[in-house]
Amino acid sequence: MRKIGIAVLVIIAVVVIAGVIIPRKPPASDYRTAKVERGELVSTVSATGTLAAVVTVQVGTQVSGTISKLFVDFNSPVKAGQAIAQIDPALFNAKVKEVRGNYYNALANLERFKEEQADALRTLERNRELSRGGIISQADFDAAQTKYKVASAAVKAADWSVTQNQGLYEQSKTNLDYATIKSPTNGIVISRNVDVGQTVAASFQTPTLFTIAQDLTKMEIQVSVDEADISKVRLGQPVSFSVDSYSNLTFKGAVSQIRKAPILTQNVVTYIVIVSVTNQDLKLMPGMTANVSIETMRKQQVLKMPNAALLFNPESDDETPPDGAGKASKSTEKVYLLRKGQPVPVPVETGLHADGFVEVVASGALKENDEVIIERLTEKKKDANQSGGPQRGPGF
């Protein structure tokens, strides 16, 4: 019996010690909280755009004919003045010969009419002397004078004919030169729309035969920014973006132009923002879709808390998020601290909203590491909170 009594005393002692040493699980809180902390806030405007070369030249043709030769293909580097294609020159050569013959014939006619003019002038001067001496009649003198005027008019007509045929001759030579299509700039051929044997026609809307990108090491993104965000965008703002081909890489750029012309698409107004990009490794290609993030404001080491703290109201379950992303205007709000299990209201002056957080500009009672209430927990959430450990707000 004595042994049984000792065993009972030992068991009681162990239970008492376990109750003292092992802490009991605290009662589940009715609220979820998040810490107020210092950190960086970055406000951005997100949009999509298309990559393009800074300068893209569309090469057409100024004469019609059949493509006889191609000297370049896709991705071919070209220099300014380099031949890239040729239209069959046979007809243009024949035209040059024809017009050249007409031009030389006009020159010969001009020389003949000048000689006739000189002969008519000599006859006129001789008849003038004879008329003064009464040797010839006035009618003969008038006839000589008329012949001289006719010869002078013929010289003028021949001179104009030479000018006209000279212009046609130069035009035919120019057309022959145009039969060889040349690159207007240094760059890379990114598009070829013709093949050998294809007939092309010069018109008011000249077809594009080649597209040449001047320099692919410098590119730009044409970004469509919504009218609600365009006021935040400024020249020189840093830009980060990604493309689907390199989803693990982030590229950098800067805002270089904000176009004021509105674009209306399905009753939505947007504005084009040009982002300048360097592409030294040529990874980026024209036409790629870029997911762009324009940095409109950055603040370092500011006191911040989750936006959800502004939504909590102990007297209401309506927690509709305000539209505050990216805003930097100051406003007076109210948040709640947890004191002895009860929410205590604290007025705060807020500033920049970004990335799910809000800047705390001023507060007499709120300081770093304070726990602000962001949500009232249901029984189910309390059980999850107890079993899975304390939960924090977004970003904590």
Side-chain angles (χ1 to χ4, degrees), residues 193-262:
N193 301 319
V194 290
D195 291 299
V196 173
Q198 183 173 339
T199 300
V200 294
S203 62
F204 290 110
Q205 293 182 340
T206 303
T208 300
L209 309 184
F210 299 89
T211 302
I212 298 176
Q214 191 176 56
D215 184 5
L216 290 181
T217 62
K218 296 178 182 179
M219 301 188 71
E220 65 182 22
I221 310 173
Q222 295 187 2
V223 184
S224 296
V225 177
D226 190 87
E227 62 176 326
D229 296 323
I230 193 65
S231 62
K232 307 169 192 173
V233 180
R234 298 286 184 272
L235 293 178
Q237 286 176 336
V239 175
S240 59
F241 67 96
S242 62
V243 295
D244 292 341
S245 295
Y246 304 100
S247 57
N248 59 331
L249 295 179
T250 299
F251 301 89
K252 302 295 183 181
V255 175
S256 60
Q257 187 182 74
I258 303 170
R259 296 181 180 173
K260 299 184 181 298

Side-chain angles (χ1 to χ4, degrees), residues 226-386:
D226 190 87
E227 62 176 326
D229 296 323
I230 193 65
S231 62
K232 307 169 192 173
V233 180
R234 298 286 184 272
L235 293 178
Q237 286 176 336
V239 175
S240 59
F241 67 96
S242 62
V243 295
D244 292 341
S245 295
Y246 304 100
S247 57
N248 59 331
L249 295 179
T250 299
F251 301 89
K252 302 295 183 181
V255 175
S256 60
Q257 187 182 74
I258 303 170
R259 296 181 180 173
K260 299 184 181 298
I263 297 176
L264 182 62
T265 305
Q266 296 181 351
N267 294 326
V268 177
V269 178
T270 59
Y271 294 86
I272 295 296
V273 173
I274 303 299
V275 176
S276 297
V277 177
T278 57
N279 186 32
Q280 295 296 335
D281 51 9
L282 299 179
K283 287 183 177 179
L284 301 174
M285 300 182 185
M288 283 184 170
T289 299
N291 301 308
V292 177
S293 180
I294 303 173
E295 182 181 313
T296 58
M297 186 178 296
R298 179 183 292 267
K299 290 189 175 183
Q300 304 282 354
Q301 291 303 306
V302 296
L303 199 63
K304 64 180 183 178
M305 62 183 177
N307 277 332
L310 300 176
L311 310 180
F312 175 74
N313 185 347
E315 299 177 357
S316 172
D317 293 329
D318 184 11
E319 298 180 356
T320 303
D323 184 16
K327 293 183 179 179
S329 58
K330 296 180 181 179
S331 61
T332 301
E333 307 275 359
K334 182 167 61 175
V335 297
Y336 291 85
L337 296 177
L338 192 61
R339 294 286 187 262
K340 297 181 179 180
Q342 296 299 320
V344 178
V346 175
V348 294
E349 188 176 335
T350 61
L352 177 65
H353 291 248
D355 298 329
F357 291 89
V358 60
E359 175 191 9
V360 179
V361 177
S363 175
L366 195 64
K367 58 185 182 298
E368 189 175 356
N369 293 324
D370 278 346
E371 298 274 351
V372 290
I373 301 174
I374 61 174
E375 183 184 12
R376 184 195 300 273
L377 295 175
T378 63
E379 290 300 323
K380 185 176 180 180
K381 288 182 178 180
K382 280 196 284 186
D383 292 341
N385 210 25
Q386 283 293 100

Side-chain angles (χ1 to χ4, degrees), residues 89-155:
L91 293 177
F92 301 103
N93 279 321
K95 188 65 176 179
V96 167
K97 291 179 181 180
E98 177 188 353
V99 178
R100 182 172 56 195
N102 293 337
Y103 172 56
Y104 289 156
N105 184 57
L107 287 174
N109 287 335
L110 176 61
E111 292 301 320
R112 179 168 63 86
F113 287 124
K114 283 182 178 180
E115 290 297 328
E116 291 179 357
Q117 181 192 35
D119 181 63
L121 179 60
R122 287 192 300 269
T123 301
L124 176 62
E125 294 298 328
R126 185 168 55 250
N127 286 351
R128 180 178 285 115
E129 293 297 327
L130 293 175
S131 176
R132 288 173 183 171
I135 299 175
I136 63 172
S137 64
Q138 183 64 34
D140 290 337
F141 174 74
D142 291 343
Q145 191 175 36
T146 300
K147 184 178 180 181
Y148 171 71
K149 290 181 178 179
V150 171
S152 297
V155 168

